[in-house]
């Protein structure tokens, strides 16, 4: 079973001007991430714009990533949909394509009870026998996974972890506390500012959008922590603050993709209509990127 640990990059989906998938640049971004020492690649996440890709495009992106990774790091495939039936179908397809781990976001749009969420994930796990990481991001889905529900789900053999993007450290802490005794269950931070604190509390790392911009720095948070260099890990964690402050100018994944483009990689814009950043935001982003480049951040 693939190890769930470290810093996993929810890789952006490069697009041409006509919004078609830019395969060559996607391959280049995979190589860039692996060369920087990242511990996993996660296509079809929020930063990968899975919410706006067609099923055919999702299949294409996952095929490209798996082919380019060539087993060097685990590939996490985002397969969560609104319905249980569709989530199972897309998860089975990802398994057939060769993904190592599934990341399954909670159902969205319609409100779900905790029992409905439990039964949803239980059914997916029964139908797709491969490692599954739960994905909690209530600000985007409207449905939050309660710590007690995560604790129940952690007892299902192939549900092996949870990514918490709630931004509420206490929620993530309760995930850790309530699954600490479950062997092989991992809690990952989906908030880049909380990765070191996740590790200190007993978590396993993070799925970090900022790794698209600063992969070497993000990977070093985990590596330095594991080597016992807590001061170095804290400096690497603190180093992304100025960049994250730019999130106030737009969607975080829109800011991340724009930053990668400004660094000279032709990943294009996010797919319309989620691609607008005000001029003051672009100027602030350019200033932060330039300052961080001068500091050697990469």
């Amino acid at each position: 079973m693939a190890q769930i640990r470290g810093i996993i990059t929810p890789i952006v989906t490069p697009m041409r001007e006509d919004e078609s998938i830019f395969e060559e640049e996607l391959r280049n971004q995979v190589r860039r991430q692996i060369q920087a020492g990242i511990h996993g690649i996660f296509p079809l996440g929020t930063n990968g714009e899975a919410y706006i890709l067609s099923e055919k495009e999702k299949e294409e992106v996952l095929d490209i990533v798996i082919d380019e990774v060539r087993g060097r790091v685990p590939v996490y495939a985002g397969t969560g949909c609104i319905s249980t039936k569709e989530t199972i179908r897309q998860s089975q397809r990802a398994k057939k394509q060769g993904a190592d781990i599934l990341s399954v976001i909670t159902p969205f749009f319609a409100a779900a009870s905790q029992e409905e969420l439990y039964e949803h994930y239980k059914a997916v796990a029964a139908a797709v026998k491969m490692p599954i990481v739960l994905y909690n991001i209530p600000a985007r889905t409207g449905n939050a996974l309660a710590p007690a529900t995560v604790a129940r789900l952690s007892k299902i053999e192939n549900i092996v972890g949870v990514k918490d993007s709630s931004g509420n450290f206490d929620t993530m802490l309760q995930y850790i506390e309530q699954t600490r005794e479950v062997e092989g269950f991992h809690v990952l931070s989906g908030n880049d500012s909380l990765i070191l604190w996740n590790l200190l509390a007993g978590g396993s790392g993070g799925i970090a959008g900022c790794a698209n911009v600063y992969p070497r720095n993000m990977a070093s948070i985990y590596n330095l922590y594991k080597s016992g260099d807590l001061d170095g890990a804290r400096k690497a964690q603190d180093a992304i603050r100025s960049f994250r402050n730019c999130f106030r100018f737009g969607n975080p994944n829109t800011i991340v993709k724009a930053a990668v483009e400004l660094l000279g990689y032709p990943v294009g814009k996010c797919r319309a209509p989620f691609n607008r950043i005000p001029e003051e935001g672009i100027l602030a982003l350019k200033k932060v990127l330039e300052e961080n480049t001068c500091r050697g951040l990469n």
Side-chain angles (χ1 to χ4, degrees), residues 67-139:
D67 181 66
E68 193 62 42
V69 168
R70 300 196 310 276
R72 289 175 286 177
V73 296
V75 173
Y76 296 63
T79 58
C81 301
I82 294 176
S83 75
T84 304
K85 180 179 179 181
E86 184 65 12
T87 300
I88 288 171
R89 192 175 68 79
Q90 293 208 20
S91 297
Q92 289 173 336
R93 184 204 67 209
K95 179 181 181 181
K96 186 176 181 180
Q97 287 178 262
D100 298 296
I101 299 159
L102 301 179
S103 171
V104 181
I105 197 169
T106 60
F108 42 94
F109 190 82
S113 69
Q114 292 302 303
E115 193 61 29
E116 286 170 329
L117 293 174
Y118 176 79
E119 291 296 334
H120 170 75
Y121 281 111
K122 180 182 175 183
V124 175
V128 191
K129 291 299 184 183
M130 63 182 296
I132 293 170
V133 173
L134 314 171
Y135 182 6
N136 183 54
I137 183 168

Side-chain angles (χ1 to χ4, degrees), residues 214-236:
Y214 301 119
R216 199 170 301 279
N217 178 78
M218 298 310 293
S220 76
I221 296 173
Y222 179 81
N223 294 336
L224 290 166
Y225 170 80
K226 293 299 285 186
S227 72
D229 185 356
L230 188 56
D231 187 55
R234 186 179 288 111
K235 287 177 181 176

Side-chain angles (χ1 to χ4, degrees), residues 172-242:
M172 186 165 64
L173 190 59
Q174 287 189 62
Y175 286 173
I176 293 169
E177 290 169 351
Q178 295 199 31
T179 62
R180 203 185 300 278
E181 304 306 316
V182 181
E183 186 177 356
F185 192 85
H186 303 269
V187 179
L188 298 165
S189 176
N191 184 310
D192 294 8
S193 292
L194 298 177
I195 290 169
L196 179 56
W197 316 114
N198 165 280
L199 292 166
L200 288 165
S204 297
I207 297 178
C210 290
N212 285 288
V213 185
Y214 301 119
R216 199 170 301 279
N217 178 78
M218 298 310 293
S220 76
I221 296 173
Y222 179 81
N223 294 336
L224 290 166
Y225 170 80
K226 293 299 285 186
S227 72
D229 185 356
L230 188 56
D231 187 55
R234 186 179 288 111
K235 287 177 181 176
Q237 177 71 79
D238 292 348
I240 61 169
R241 176 55 59 196
S242 63

Side-chain angles (χ1 to χ4, degrees), residues 219-273:
S220 76
I221 296 173
Y222 179 81
N223 294 336
L224 290 166
Y225 170 80
K226 293 299 285 186
S227 72
D229 185 356
L230 188 56
D231 187 55
R234 186 179 288 111
K235 287 177 181 176
Q237 177 71 79
D238 292 348
I240 61 169
R241 176 55 59 196
S242 63
F243 174 65
R244 282 183 57 82
N245 285 343
C246 292
F247 287 6
R248 69 185 186 276
F249 294 110
N251 244 336
N253 50 298
T254 304
I255 299 295
V256 164
K257 198 172 189 184
V260 178
E261 175 84 12
L262 287 169
L263 286 175
Y265 301 101
V267 295
K269 293 183 176 182
C270 284
R271 187 167 283 179

